[in-house]
Amino acid sequence: MTGELWKSIQERWRHHGSQMLGVALVATLVAWAGEWSGVLQDVEHIAYDRALVTFTGGRGLSSHVVVVAIDQRTLDGINQDEQLRTNFGNWPYTRTLWARIAQELKAAGAKAVLFDAVMDERASDESADLGFAQVLRDTGLPFYVGMVTSGTASPLPRADFTAAVPLTAPEAAPSPAPTDAPPADDEAFPEEFEDAPATATPTLEPGALARALAFPARRTDGGALPALRYRAQGGEWRPRYPVPPTTALVGSVTGFGLVDTEADTDGFMRRTHFAYSDGVNTYVTLPVRMLADLVGAKELTLSGRTLQLGERAWHVDADGSAALDYGGPLHERFTLVPLLDVLEDWIRRSAHKPVALGADTFRDKVVVIGGTAVGVNDIKATPFSPTQPGLVKQATVVDALLSGAFITRAPAGVDLGITFLVALVSAVLLMTARWTPLEVGWPLVLVLGLYGFTGLLLRTTQTHVLMAMPALAGIGASVAALAFNHLVANRETQFIRQAFHRFMEPKLVEQMIRSRQLPRLDGENKEITAFFSDIRGFSTFSERFKEDPRQLVRILNTYLTTVSGALLREGGCLDKYIGDAVVCLFGAPMAQEDHAVRACRGALAAKAAVEVLREDFRRKGFPDVYTRIGVNSAVNFVGNFGSDQLFSYTAIGDGMNLAARLEGANKAYGSVIMIGPRTYELAREHIEVRELDRVRVAGKTEAVTVYELLALKGQLDAATQRTVARYHEALGLYREARFAEAVAVLEAEAARAPEDGPTGKLLERCREYLEAPPEKFDGVANLEK
């Protein structure tokens, strides 16, 4: 048997090998076009994110980076402590606070500090800026501050990197030595906590400012650094320039780096560039600026796929960017220390008391300061969480620069080669085997295999191999192979035709065949719209023909054909006939986004067709076939219930039960077509309705609003519009238990439009309540079974 199978495969390859290669090549080209045009970008992002989380998460805490978090406990602690609030204010805090934090981090042995924020506004009390600057000079702690760019900022002249970094901020008065005594209730804080005396800050010359903010960066391979620019109205690209920091800090802060958001088109932070140009000067990101000092680098260079800082080099992508290897969400990757704890340790140290944080918490670590509390941090999306504090990016880049690696893209040739290989394997496998289980299972195996392969590469080599492009090529080749196979034998198509042609419109059956959407035997939950109709007084109707049942069958068949035809023309799927009742589904088995609108159109068409039939029956002396209709939209369980030999495609659920009850409830309201609240919500832009009442279904406590379907949008005549308006006016009075006023409105309208059923029914109810007021009235009617 195995030998015969192998011979069969060889024979098919010999006869159809060129078709297999052609299918693989076309599928590869289509997938490449999708990747090149950006159509696959969102899919690739999703695949990459999931692989990153699954295969690279759980790496544990970084040994090089600690995050000092401005968290909610810090905000509450400072706000609730009168002395802290007096000295530092509310968020954003005075720069005196950051001076104290810098002193404590220096004393705790921190290697460097990255402040993931900007300081581009001068403090209302300039002594705070000057005091902070003086502390930074006194401690010598490497302290780096972010800067952003803006299209409204002024351009700077070309920086002279041969000149020294300007030190123009005036010296602040030296801080007194800390007192030996701990803070007491009647003593605000040690004297060191007070701001330095105010001193006027000179204006920094633009050239000196450019020297302080810019950093030498270049590409040695002839490429260009990414431009700092934004798209203005009209689509024109315009440059962005750095927003200068507070002048007092220039020369005291060790360096400044860009902290602009670097997000993909979907808002997720996955990548970073390391240097930018505004056309005059070059600027590096904040982590790069810090690391340049730590490794003694005076310039950043990019050459091909290599980033160079001094003697250190990292592998990056050809465009000079790299993806971030997060390794997990913020709290799993980095030690988080509340800012309040650092501040309290400074107070203890100033009072010569033991500090609370461990001695190794900050020693030889890079400290990233940023917000994590709601309203303080900038919420960003990463592959690990859609709501991460923005500082996670800075911390991740610092960690990668210090000891790790970035995630880089595989060369385009590798991606294209894998794509063609996947397409070829798919085509050969399916076009030779022609085995139904393989045809069904191969796409899943293909996607899972690519997912595992790319995930393992991410984990072991920090290499991102595209998944969406080869997956699309493989699936495309599989579809083409299946199409080829089914040119020979299309048993599934024949099965669909035989199974559904009796209770679905032929064009829908053909659409199902084209889309290969065979309804599932095990069923599925999906939102659909159910249609129920019934003839008023059918028992009496049928008794007239007990001596001539064949005539009853002919009449009933004529009626059912009339109603069914109206529903099928709107794309409905006939569920069943229960005597004279018709049950129809919209939105299944074929998905229909406008299933509620289709059901409403079908109900109105069925009503109109029945009116014509009633007139014909009246002339022939047949009984009246006055029909009531219920329509309701809800999530129901739909599918083929039965066996492979005999099954019934139907739906079950509360939504179906409510549709049936709405059909019966028409009797109590004198209406013809009653629809549920979800149907109204979905189709309201396309239909004219009358709000009938709020009802409570038996077995349920929540009331729902029901409506009478009157016409399609814009097709309601003026007289009916007036009747509906008067009904709504009376309904409002009725719900307020103002029955006498409601009766007056309804009586006037009933005299004008005596044929309006809902007006008469509500009038009867108001008169009844007027004579015998209900004990507990909530304006909700109980809809019994």
Side-chain angles (χ1 to χ4, degrees), residues 395-617:
T396 300
V397 175
V398 170
D399 194 55
L401 289 172
L402 287 172
S403 62
F406 296 96
I407 295 174
T408 56
R409 284 278 301 272
V414 174
D415 286 328
L416 203 58
I418 292 174
T419 300
F420 178 75
L421 179 62
V422 169
L424 182 61
V425 170
S426 300
V428 171
L429 195 61
L430 296 183
M431 292 175 71
T432 56
R434 295 184 186 173
W435 184 41
T436 301
L438 180 62
E439 292 176 349
V440 174
W442 175 248
L444 179 61
V445 172
L446 172 66
V447 172
L448 291 179
L450 284 171
Y451 179 73
F453 172 69
T454 55
L456 288 175
L457 283 178
L458 279 175
R459 182 181 183 88
T460 57
T461 67
Q462 285 79 45
T463 301
H464 172 203
V465 173
L466 292 180
M467 177 179 173
M469 185 168 71
L472 177 61
I475 293 174
S478 300
V479 171
L482 291 177
F484 178 85
N485 292 344
H486 285 272
L487 288 175
V488 179
N490 199 351
R491 293 185 299 271
E492 185 180 16
T493 297
Q494 188 61 30
F495 170 76
I496 294 176
R497 283 197 178 98
Q498 292 176 352
F500 288 95
H501 81 281
R502 292 182 179 273
F503 53 94
M504 283 186 67
E505 183 76 5
K507 64 181 181 181
L508 288 182
V509 177
E510 293 304 318
Q511 182 181 348
M512 188 184 303
I513 291 171
R514 289 194 301 271
S515 62
R516 306 185 65 81
Q517 294 182 1
L518 182 64
R520 294 169 51 186
L521 279 171
D522 56 350
E524 59 182 327
N525 281 311
K526 64 187 304 185
E527 186 177 54
I528 63 171
T529 300
F531 170 100
F532 277 75
S533 71
D534 204 356
I535 298 175
R536 177 180 61 186
F538 181 69
S539 298
T540 305
F541 181 104
S542 59
E543 285 180 2
R544 291 184 52 183
F545 296 92
K546 62 182 178 180
E547 301 298 332
D548 188 6
R550 292 185 179 180
Q551 179 69 355
L552 174 62
V553 170
R554 285 192 292 269
I555 292 175
L556 191 55
N557 286 348
T558 300
Y559 168 80
L560 293 176
T561 300
T562 299
V563 174
S564 301
L567 299 174
L568 290 175
R569 282 189 291 274
E570 294 299 334
C573 173
L574 294 177
D575 181 350
K576 62 176 69 72
Y577 299 129
I578 309 173
D580 62 310
V582 178
V583 183
C584 186
L585 308 179
F586 291 84
M590 291 296 299
Q592 297 166 327
E593 293 185 1
D594 58 344
H595 54 84
V597 177
R598 288 174 177 266
C600 290
R601 287 203 304 257
L604 290 169
K607 175 186 175 184
V610 169
E611 287 300 320
V612 175
L613 188 63
R614 289 175 70 195
E615 182 62 29
D616 183 50
F617 279 12

Side-chain angles (χ1 to χ4, degrees), residues 683-751:
R684 62 188 303 171
E685 302 298 327
H686 304 273
I687 57 176
E688 302 282 359
V689 300
R690 176 202 327 238
E691 181 180 342
L692 287 173
D693 203 355
R694 287 179 57 78
V695 299
R696 187 180 294 108
V697 180
K700 302 290 184 180
T701 58
E702 183 179 357
V704 298
T705 303
V706 294
Y707 305 85
E708 180 187 15
L709 177 61
L710 299 172
L712 294 178
K713 200 71 172 180
Q715 297 182 11
L716 196 62
D717 60 84
T720 306
Q721 291 180 25
R722 173 175 173 173
T723 299
V724 170
R726 294 294 179 270
Y727 183 92
H728 286 162
E729 178 184 353
L731 185 63
L733 296 170
Y734 162 80
R735 288 174 175 167
E736 296 175 3
R738 296 160 62 181
F739 303 122
E741 298 174 57
V743 166
V745 174
L746 292 168
E747 285 179 342
E749 189 57 31

Side-chain angles (χ1 to χ4, degrees), residues 273-334:
H273 284 82
F274 304 95
Y276 289 86
S277 172
D278 63 0
V280 177
N281 290 308
T282 55
Y283 306 90
V284 294
T285 58
L286 186 59
V288 172
R289 182 65 187 86
M290 177 212 69
L291 195 74
D293 287 346
L294 293 184
V295 300
K298 302 301 182 182
E299 181 184 41
L300 176 148
T301 60
L302 286 162
S303 178
R305 298 171 66 90
T306 301
L307 166 69
Q308 188 87 26
L309 271 177
E311 299 299 321
R312 298 284 300 275
W314 296 264
H315 192 54
V316 297
D317 286 335
D319 65 351
S321 69
L324 302 179
D325 189 9
Y326 287 102
L330 177 66
H331 65 279
E332 293 180 5
R333 284 289 291 124
F334 302 101

Side-chain angles (χ1 to χ4, degrees), residues 71-99:
D71 58 1
Q72 193 59 47
R73 188 165 78 85
T74 296
L75 297 180
D76 293 341
I78 294 178
N79 184 59
Q80 294 167 8
D81 187 298
E82 182 177 355
Q83 188 61 62
L84 293 178
R85 191 172 64 251
T86 299
N87 281 272
F88 306 130
N90 296 318
W91 177 262
Y93 303 121
T94 67
R95 291 191 183 122
T96 305
L97 171 64
W98 307 119

